[in-house]
Amino acid sequence: MQSDNPTAAILVIGDEILSGRTREGNAHHLAQVLTATGIDLQEIRVVADDTDRIVDAIRALDRTLGGAYDLLFTSGGIGPTHDDITADAVAAAHGTTVEVNPTARALLQERCDRMGVELNENRLRMARIPVSATLIDNAVSAAPGFSIGATHVMAGVPEVFRAMVAWLIPQLPVGRPVQSLTVEVRRGESEVAEDLKAVAAEYADLSLGSYPFRDDTGWGTNLVVRGLDAARVDQAMAALRGRIGL
């Protein structure tokens, strides 16, 4: 699919994801948001809680560091425990250091005061932010995420991650949302492959795909046409339906 939209990657950080202990859903949520807002997600990567691996991934993905994409979103590793090393790794990748951010500290202090708990050393870890980074609002639990370069660092807890995404996306440059049409056919992929191939060749500026499924009534295939121009997507779907006799 031809596109001049901003490009993006998602970096999911955490041993618990790689071990299978935690089911990852943040990337799925963010992928839907990016598609709807005109940001082209082109890669999702998962790395362990290992500083060198995180640094290498950020440098490979953040265009301001010579990486591949206009925007990089991370999930996980900015909590209060010893294995929450994302802030330090992001700082290292961007050639800076981490300090307790006064604004982040004030936000945490206010929340602790409301809850009647102490802002102890572990909680204060969540106010450690790379120097020169800007904060990402957290309407759920106060501890902010942050942005530096093209890297946008958010929590791994799904409720907090979604709140951060909702605040962050309106602050970013976006493009044209992807337009998509789907037709369901009660045939196998191999039976419609040639028709799909022919329409894809005619509409090379669009993305056409086939996705088989099975339900209570048998096998079928969803044929999907995607693109940035709604009229062009409509034309391609009409051509596809015509070829398969719908």
Side-chain angles (χ1 to χ4, degrees):
M1 181 178 69
Q2 295 176 3
S3 174
D4 53 5
N5 285 348
T7 59
I10 298 173
L11 178 64
V12 180
I13 300 164
D15 293 342
E16 70 278 11
I17 303 299
L18 292 168
S19 70
R21 183 182 182 279
T22 299
R23 184 187 296 273
E24 207 293 313
N26 289 341
H28 178 258
H29 170 73
L30 182 53
Q32 292 177 313
V33 173
L34 297 179
T35 297
T37 53
I39 297 173
D40 293 344
L41 179 61
Q42 297 188 356
E43 183 172 349
I44 298 174
R45 196 177 292 197
V46 183
V47 295
D49 292 310
D50 178 276
T51 298
D52 291 340
R53 291 181 183 274
I54 298 170
V55 169
D56 288 346
I58 291 169
R59 288 176 174 167
L61 299 173
D62 183 326
R63 184 154 287 167
T64 68
L65 300 175
Y69 304 111
D70 300 321
L71 299 164
L72 170 61
F73 304 92
T74 80
S75 166
I78 58 171
T81 61
H82 73 284
D83 60 342
D84 289 312
I85 60 174
T86 297
D88 297 275
V90 171
H94 283 269
T96 188
T97 57
V98 172
E99 295 180 355
V100 173
N101 180 282
T103 302
R105 180 179 185 136
L107 290 168
L108 289 170
Q109 185 68 66
E110 181 183 357
R111 178 173 173 80
C112 286
D113 291 345
R114 289 200 310 270
M115 297 177 64
V117 299
E118 177 190 1
L119 180 56
N120 59 25
E121 184 177 346
N122 288 333
R123 294 189 178 101
L124 192 58
R125 280 182 57 84
M126 295 186 289
R128 297 173 68 254
I129 306 292
V131 174
S132 81
T134 58
L135 301 184
I136 296 173
D137 185 72
N138 173 3
V140 175
S141 59
F146 58 86
S147 300
I148 182 169
T151 303
H152 305 280
V153 179
M154 293 175 284
V157 177
E159 183 182 7
V160 178
F161 180 85
R162 291 183 179 218
M164 289 183 174
V165 168
W167 181 89
L168 175 64
I169 295 300
Q171 323 297 323
L172 300 178
V174 298
R176 294 175 288 166
V178 173
Q179 309 298 314
S180 178
L181 291 176
T182 302
V183 61
E184 177 187 300
V185 294
R186 286 290 166 173
R187 306 178 201 171
E189 268 191 303
S190 59
E191 296 181 53
V192 294
E194 286 302 316
D195 293 322
L196 189 67
K197 180 179 178 181
V199 177
E202 183 180 354
Y203 293 87
D205 54 315
L206 304 180
S207 173
L208 281 75
S210 60
Y211 305 94
F213 65 88
R214 185 175 183 179
D215 58 20
D216 293 339
T217 62
W219 292 95
T221 304
N222 284 317
L223 303 178
V224 180
V225 179
R226 300 171 69 247
L228 301 180
D229 185 326
R232 186 79 170 154
V233 171
D234 286 340
Q235 292 169 5
M237 178 54 77
L240 182 59
R241 294 177 70 94
R243 286 194 64 95
I244 61 179
L246 293 179

